[in-house]
């Protein structure tokens, strides 16, 4: 509005026309001029209030009361423009004449400072915003402006800034303003204005840059520098508070991002402070300790500080071998006494690592430290003997302590012995000891690997002699089983360059013999594998034929039984012999219930004596025939194996689903276009709980696998790839890992009422939880077990220490790192056959297996259990207990009489 008023005021006034109409137009023009004057005064008054306690009014020689009186007069003039119109016209004309005079004066002398100030004041008072901006620009090009002039200019531009371009223009003005003089008020205004653009791209960095420059420029100002510090502190406090509201303890990710930011800046004091703050809430995170200690080792290198941090790290996370090895290196780097380092190493051995390889790593670090203490220029020294004793102790420790605990030494390739052998050969010139060590390495199951023999060969080539090199390669040719061709090639290459003709002939003969034997073994292994495959196929075919014969026999028996029942039904039944069927056992089939119209005729035919009506009520044999017919008429669900890639197999569905296809189709259409849903029904038309879902695209079938274990009417639905198991008998669907997972926990002993959300609330206090899986049975009922997956190994280790033995709803839970036991391979039928004897029976249930009712037909007095007699060396096998009980001695009448007399 002020701009419009200024534009209108700058336009030349139209000359009034004669007559009454001209007089009316003149009145309107005067009223418009008065309103423009009022608006310009209002803008000036608002600007004065924004700038502070009336400094510009004093400069212009007017008081606040004068301004209020003038504003009141302008307001009254607006309400009645004709009353004081002549006063405003006179003042406006006076200002215009003064502006023209000042402009003319500046055209003569552009360096007249007071003329510039007066011109800017008058133009601003008249609302000429465009002209006042040009006047300020010209003056700033000639003179450095005072703090008051700059603030006045900046406030005017800020009030008119509407978009991003206007904000950039204001930023440019601030950059010019801070270059003229040291002005704390301008810097403070600059910082506060930049806070308003924090939502734009790079806004936060812009604010911090402005405040940092302000502190460098006027931060040491005795009277006004404090305001800059306070404003910067308030801003950073607000940022921290906002970040604190968004993140909850332990805030590991936020601290890591903060650490990255400070590391880029490179201020050691701030980096150390943020590390310490992060460790207060994440003291059990080994990765954070490792990063902190690594920074101190590489940058600060202050002995007391570095060793203190390493000591705190191993005390907080003693199960992490990397922290102990770094601690030993730091102590060696800063010249700590040998006895202190040895004591620290002993503490590390008793820390309780979770893997056998961790003990190998800590021993390697300690042995490296001992090797660096030895002066190998001397033939013998105390340090060398201590090193050799440490090597011997390390091997014994791994064999006894570690192998007993983990069932493995943790060093299958014997790296410690290899390092010992290399040290003896290269540094001590003791090849005899090195050969003894390599012999021990080979006897520990490494003789079949070509790379082990080649390591030994290279050691002999560097520090031994040709005779031992040849001997090592000859042994390698005989023992290697993984890459014998490579070892043979190395032997022939050595004999070609260094050996005699006799050596060459021996090498060729040995390599040809060995390779021929290897080829024979490979052919035999292939034939054996083919024979086993053929046997499996034959057994599968035999089982298939046996099932077909059994099915045909059952069908034949059913036919014979039906004929016999038909013959019996032809005979007339006596009164009361035909008992009514129980309703709960009756199968309702089509046409099995007579119509209501036939019921009355049936009742009349039965008469008084209740004789069965012939022909109207179906007999059981006819019902079974109809069931068989219904089974034959029911369309079979055929599956095209060529569409396995676009089909999934869905199982463990509720049997009570009325329309499986209609209920499942919307669920799977979320994954892609569904071509067909084929549910499987029994011979009676009941849903069997599984079906096939065919998609149009293979991508949709892969996405449908993610619906596995989804709850459908209270049961977990199993979704698996469609695979023909007759062609792939070993195919199994188990999407979870069965190996050791250090970032995943196994929780047992949970109450059955514990939900996934409740367990997640407990677990997330120890780290970032990626997934939680509650183990259920096929009916969807919980088993009290769960798997909790964390973001990394350190968080999982922290959770084990905190949660193991915790009580949840009066249940004490157990928590451990997920390491499922190896699955036992099902025993084949041949495995149950005793050596040299018949197959051992599974149970003593008889030819038809275990009965459904398990009713014993023997009197209780004869059911005595007896321990099985020991089998003679070549005698018969012991008989079952039931047979022995059946063959009890017969009792005479006298024996029965004695029994009665005893009672």
């Amino acid at each position: 509005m002020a701009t419009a008023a200024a534009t209108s005021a700058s336009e030349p006034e139209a000359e009034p026309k004669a007559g009454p109409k001209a007089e009316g137009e003149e009145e309107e023009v005067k009223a418009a001029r008065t309103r423009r004057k009022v608006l310009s005064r209002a803008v000036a008054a608002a600007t004065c209030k924004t700038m502070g306690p009336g400094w510009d009014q004093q400069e212009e020689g007017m008081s606040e009361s004068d301004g209020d009186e003038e504003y009141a007069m302008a307001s009254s003039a607006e309400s009645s423009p004709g009353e004081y119109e002549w006063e405003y016209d006179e003042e406006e004309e006076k200002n215009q004449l003064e502006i023209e005079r000042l402009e003319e004066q500046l055209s003569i002398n552009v360096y007249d400072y007071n003329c510039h100030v007066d011109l800017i004041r008058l133009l601003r008072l008249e609302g000429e915003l465009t002209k006042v901006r040009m006047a300020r620009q010209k003056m700033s090009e000639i003179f450095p402006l005072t703090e008051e002039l700059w603030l006045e200019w900046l406030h005017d531009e800020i009030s008119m800034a509407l978009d991003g371009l206007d904000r950039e223009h204001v930023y440019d003005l601030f950059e010019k303003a801070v270059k003229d003089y040291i002005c704390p008020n301008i810097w403070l205004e600059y910082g506060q204005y930049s806070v308003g653009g924090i939502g734009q791209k790079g806004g936060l960095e812009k604010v911090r840059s402005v405040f940092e420059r302000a502190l460098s420029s006027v931060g040491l100002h005795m009277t006004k520098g404090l305001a800059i510090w306070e404003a910067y502190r308030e801003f950073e406090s607000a940022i921290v508070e906002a970040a604190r509201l968004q993140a909850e303890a332990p805030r590991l990710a936020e601290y890591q991002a903060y650490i990255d930011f400070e590391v880029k800046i490179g201020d050691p004091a701030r980096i150390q402070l943020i590390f310490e703050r992060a460790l207060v809430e994440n003291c059990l995170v080994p990765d954070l300790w490792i990063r902190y200690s690594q920074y101190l080792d590489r940058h600060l290198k202050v002995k007391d500080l570095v060793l203190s941090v390493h000591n705190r790290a191993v005390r907080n996370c003693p199960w992490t071998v990397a922290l102990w090895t770094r601690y030993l290196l730091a102590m060696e780097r800063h010249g700590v006494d040998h006895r202190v380092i040895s004591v620290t190493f002993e503490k590390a051995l008793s820390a309780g690592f979770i893997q056998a390889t961790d003990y190998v790593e800590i021993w390697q670090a300690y042995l490296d430290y001992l090797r660096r203490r030895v002066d190998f220029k001397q033939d013998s020294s105390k340090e060398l003997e201590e090193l050799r004793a440490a090597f011997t102790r390390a091997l014994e420790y791994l064999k006894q302590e570690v192998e007993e605990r983990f069932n493995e030494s943790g060093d299958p390739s014997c790296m410690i012995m290899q390092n010992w052998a290399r040290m003896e050969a290269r540094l001590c010139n003791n090849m005899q000891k090195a050969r003894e060590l390599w012999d021990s390495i080979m006897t520990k199951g490494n003789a079949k690997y070509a790379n082990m023999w080649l390591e030994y060969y290279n050691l002999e080539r560097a520090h031994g002699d040709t005779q031992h090199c040849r001997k090592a390669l000859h042994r390698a040719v005989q023992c290697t089983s993984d890459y014998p061709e490579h070892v043979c090639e190395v032997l022939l290459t050595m004999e070609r360059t260094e050996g005699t003709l006799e050596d060459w002939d021996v090498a060729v003969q040995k390599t040809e013999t060995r390779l021929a034997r290897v080829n024979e073994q490979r052919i035999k292994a292939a034939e054996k594998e083919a024979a086993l495959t053929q046997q499996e196929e034959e057994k599968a075919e035999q089982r298939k034929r046996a099932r077909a014969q059994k099915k045909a026999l059952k069908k034949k028996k059913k036919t014979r039984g039906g004929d016999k029942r038909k013959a019996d039904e032809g005979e007339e039944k006596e009164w009361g012999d035909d008992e009514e069927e129980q309703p709960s056992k009756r199968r309702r089939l089509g046409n099995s219930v007579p119509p209501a119209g036939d019921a009355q005729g049936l009742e009349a035919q039965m008469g008084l004596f209740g004789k069965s009506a012939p022909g109207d009520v179906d007999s059981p044999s006819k019902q079974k025939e109809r069931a068989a017919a219904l089974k034959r008429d029911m369309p079979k669900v055929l599956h095209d194996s060529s569409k396995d890639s676009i089909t999934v197999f869905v199982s463990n569905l509720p049997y009570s689903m009325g329309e499986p296809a209609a209920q499942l189709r919307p669920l799977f259409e979320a994954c892609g276009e569904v071509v067909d849903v084929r549910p499987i029904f029994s011979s009676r038309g009941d849903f069997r709980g599984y079906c096939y879902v065919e998609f149009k695209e293979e991508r949709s079938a892969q996405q449908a696998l993610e619906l596995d274990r989804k709850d459908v009417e209270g049961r977990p639905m199993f979704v698996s790839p469609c695979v023909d198991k007759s062609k792939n008998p070993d195919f199994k669907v188990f999407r979870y890992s069965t190996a050791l997972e250090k970032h995943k926990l196994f929780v047992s002993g949970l109450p059955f009422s514990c939900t996934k959300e409740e367990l997640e609330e407990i677990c997330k206090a120890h780290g970032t939880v990626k997934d939680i899986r509650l183990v259920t049975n096929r009916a969807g009922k919980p088993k009290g077990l769960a798997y909790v997956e964390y973001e990394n190994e350190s968080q999982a280790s922290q959770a084990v220490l905190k949660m193991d033995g915790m009580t949840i709803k009066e249940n004490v839970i157990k928590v451990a790192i997920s390491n499922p036991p190896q699955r036992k391979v099902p025993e084949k039928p041949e495995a149950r056959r005793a050596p040299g004897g018949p197959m051992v029976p599974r149970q003593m249930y008889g030819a038809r297996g275990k009965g459904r009712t398990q009713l014993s037909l023997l009197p209780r007095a004869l059911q005595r259990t007896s321990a099985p007699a020991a089998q003679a060396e070549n005698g018969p096998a012991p008989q079952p207990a039931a047979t022995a009980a059946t063959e009890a001695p017969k009792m005479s009448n006298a024996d029965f009489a004695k029994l009665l007399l005893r009672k």
Side-chain angles (χ1 to χ4, degrees), residues 38 93 129 161 181 314 324 429 498 503 595 853 865:
V38 170
E93 291 176 1
L129 299 180
Y181 299 105
V314 298
W324 288 101
N429 297 322
E498 300 181 14
D503 297 332
T853 60
T865 56

Side-chain angles (χ1 to χ4, degrees), residues 80 130 161 166 317 379 427 450 522 528 562 580 604 631 689 709 835:
S80 56
T130 304
D166 294 339
C317 305
D379 295 337
L427 302 178
R522 291 175 178 172
K528 185 177 180 180
E580 186 180 359
K631 182 178 179 180
R709 311 282 172 165

Side-chain angles (χ1 to χ4, degrees), residues 654-668:
Y655 298 143
S656 60
M657 294 182 73
E659 296 291 337
Q663 292 180 246
L664 294 176
R665 179 178 289 272
L667 182 63
F668 285 95

Side-chain angles (χ1 to χ4, degrees), residues 553-571:
L553 183 60
K554 285 184 178 180
K555 188 175 182 181
K556 189 175 181 181
K557 287 182 178 180
K558 286 182 179 180
T559 305
R560 291 179 180 177
D563 295 340
K564 185 176 180 181
R565 282 191 294 272
K566 284 181 182 180
D568 294 339
E569 287 173 3
E571 300 177 0

